[in-house]
Amino acid sequence: QKEVEQNSGPLSVPEGAIASLNCTYSDRGSQSFFWYRQYSGKSPELIMSIYSNGDKEDGRFTAQLNKASQYVSLLIRDSQPSDSATYLCAVINTGNQFYFGTGTSLTVIP
Amino acid sequence: DAGITQSPRHKVTETGTPVTLRCHQTENHRYMYWYRQDPGHGLRLIHYSYGVKDTDKGEVSDGYSVSRSKTEDFLLTLESATSSQTSVYFCAISDSSQSPLHFGNGTRLTVT
């Protein structure tokens, strides 16, 4: 079982819609969770960190964490073509090891 | 960018030759990491460092070695490059074991 799993997509949404990206993790004791955005040919860029159950909002982005179900999600409201990228979920497990999912490719259609 | 410079940005080398990639940071962060990124595998940890001269292996460390003689520099060496080491290599830094990572711009390595 992989430490972090994501649906690879591709996920396509029309401009202005909500994009929903999901991630599950295997280590129940994990405490730190992150979402990164990676444009093609570029390095991953941190967009959200979340450490507690519930929602955390930052502009058009909302991260949701449910430790009981071991999933993390990222919602992007009012999706823009510039949001088209691969989104990586990352988790720090109980061994302080940083694991990444393989990423979900998002395309926002104008 | 978080003050991280990787060099070179691109390199083509032949099978069997040694290769060294350099990561330089200006943030004075304690932790430094080397990842490789390949289609279908995502980011995989090669080696990491938690201080000067303190390093440890990641999940794909075979064929790689690292050194960290100064806080700001973390070197990744392929002793004898193989075609399976063709990849994009990213250096990352963080200031604690629970902090997010910040990445350099990457090195695209091709082994022919």
Side-chain angles (χ1 to χ4, degrees):
Chain A
Q1 184 182 9
K2 291 184 178 180
E3 291 279 343
V4 181
E5 302 217 43
Q6 295 181 251
N7 186 330
S8 62
L11 174 66
S12 294
V13 299
E15 184 174 354
I18 296 175
S20 177
L21 305 162
N22 300 310
C23 167
T24 59
Y25 59 94
S26 61
D27 185 339
R28 182 171 289 277
S30 299
Q31 296 294 325
S32 303
F33 307 87
F34 311 96
W35 282 99
Y36 286 80
R37 177 177 62 200
Q38 187 174 25
Y39 293 113
S40 180
K42 302 295 186 182
S43 58
E45 170 194 14
L46 178 70
I47 54 173
M48 292 287 287
S49 303
I50 187 166
Y51 304 94
S52 305
N53 273 331
D55 296 358
K56 179 182 179 183
E57 187 174 318
D58 183 1
R60 296 186 296 109
F61 297 98
T62 299
Q64 299 175 318
L65 175 59
N66 183 323
K67 290 185 179 180
S69 300
Q70 295 177 238
Y71 83 78
V72 193
S73 63
L74 179 70
L75 301 179
I76 307 174
R77 291 182 301 281
D78 188 24
S79 295
Q80 301 297 308
S82 60
D83 295 325
S84 298
T86 296
Y87 289 80
L88 306 173
C89 173
V91 174
I92 300 179
N93 70 4
T94 50
N96 285 341
Q97 294 286 319
F98 212 107
Y99 283 96
F100 287 87
T102 54
T104 299
S105 175
L106 171 67
T107 300
V108 180
I109 303 168
Chain B
D1 292 338
I4 310 167
T5 304
Q6 290 186 233
S7 58
R9 292 296 313 278
H10 302 272
K11 185 169 183 67
V12 179
T13 192
E14 294 184 349
T15 298
T17 59
V19 176
T20 296
L21 308 183
R22 181 179 183 244
C23 178
H24 177 79
Q25 60 141 333
T26 58
E27 304 296 319
N28 200 36
H29 282 353
R30 178 181 174 190
Y31 292 83
M32 298 186 76
Y33 306 79
W34 277 107
Y35 283 86
R36 60 179 290 175
Q37 188 174 38
D38 305 286
H41 292 279
L43 284 160
R44 293 182 291 173
L45 181 65
I46 305 171
H47 283 278
Y48 66 100
S49 169
Y50 45 95
V52 173
K53 292 186 169 45
D54 291 324
T55 64
D56 207 347
K57 296 178 179 180
E59 62 179 306
V60 290
S61 60
D62 287 349
Y64 302 94
S65 62
V66 290
S67 67
R68 191 170 178 199
S69 58
K70 298 185 291 185
T71 299
E72 57 266 34
D73 290 325
F74 193 31
L75 303 180
L76 176 71
T77 297
L78 291 66
E79 302 291 347
S80 177
T82 67
S83 58
S84 64
Q85 293 175 313
T86 292
S87 187
V88 178
Y89 292 85
F90 287 105
C91 174
I93 64 173
S94 69
D95 58 2
S96 80
S97 62
Q98 291 296 317
S99 297
L101 305 187
H102 297 280
F103 287 85
N105 288 330
T107 294
R108 183 173 295 276
L109 176 67
T110 302
V111 183
T112 61

